[in-house]
Amino acid sequence: LDRVELSRNQAFNGGAVLNTGDLVAVSVILTDNKAVSTNASTGFGGALYHESGSYGLFGSRVESNIAPFNGGGIYALGTGVIVDTLFTGNQSNGIGGGIDTAGPLTLIGSTLTHNSANDGGGLATRTAAANVAITTSTFAHNVATGLDLGGGGGAFNYQGMLSVVDS
């Protein structure tokens, strides 16, 4: 995806995009998308549901997306790289307002702000495979209600390794 805007879309998983392979997104805007739920296996990834393979977001914006379960902005099971991307105003009623990852993630020069979830308002990592490296990024004004596992307004590391440098 290159210089594409996907807005006001709706799906059971991945309101704007459901990816089962490799995905590269450059200067993409994902805004006002919604995942909807009919059962416990739907309602993940308000903007993007990444099921397998690898994904990259570069110089993009993920804004005002909603998921009834996990990953208000992104729900990711594979490997991700996110560079110079803004996550703002995303909402999850479960885990990971901005991003919920179960796989490795490298986050560089990005901003997560004004996202909300029960746990991990900005970012949530949930599995031992979720090794997350954050560099020169900003987490501000994210909210976690802590109803499920305990909170983490900016970030919630349930398992895996969370490394934060110069942020």
Side-chain angles (χ1 to χ4, degrees), residues 36-107:
V36 295
S37 177
T38 58
N39 57 47
S41 64
T42 61
F44 296 86
L48 169 65
Y49 182 108
H50 176 74
E51 189 170 299
S52 61
S54 63
Y55 71 97
L57 270 77
F58 304 92
S60 296
R61 191 171 85 221
V62 181
E63 180 175 0
S64 300
N65 300 287
I66 298 172
F69 288 118
N70 297 358
I74 294 177
Y75 177 78
L77 300 173
T79 300
V81 175
I82 299 173
V83 179
D84 296 328
T85 295
L86 172 66
F87 289 81
T88 187
N90 300 291
Q91 178 184 341
S92 165
N93 292 331
I95 299 170
I99 303 168
D100 177 28
T101 186
L105 173 63
T106 301
L107 186 69

Side-chain angles (χ1 to χ4, degrees), residues 104-132:
L105 173 63
T106 301
L107 186 69
I108 302 169
S110 295
T111 300
L112 286 86
T113 183
H114 294 96
N115 301 290
S116 63
N118 282 337
D119 295 298
L123 166 73
T125 66
R126 297 180 293 104
T127 68
N131 293 322
V132 177

Side-chain angles (χ1 to χ4, degrees), residues 115-122 142-147 150-156:
N115 301 290
S116 63
N118 282 337
D119 295 298
N142 298 292
V143 175
T145 60
L147 297 176
F156 177 76

Side-chain angles (χ1 to χ4, degrees), residues 1 4-18 28-36 44-48 63-68 72-73:
L1 301 173
V4 174
E5 180 174 349
L6 298 169
S7 62
R8 297 181 197 89
N9 298 290
Q10 181 174 302
F12 291 122
N13 286 317
V17 177
L18 185 137
V28 169
I29 298 171
L30 303 171
T31 184
D32 294 315
N33 299 290
K34 183 177 184 180
V36 295
F44 296 86
L48 169 65
E63 180 175 0
S64 300
N65 300 287
I66 298 172

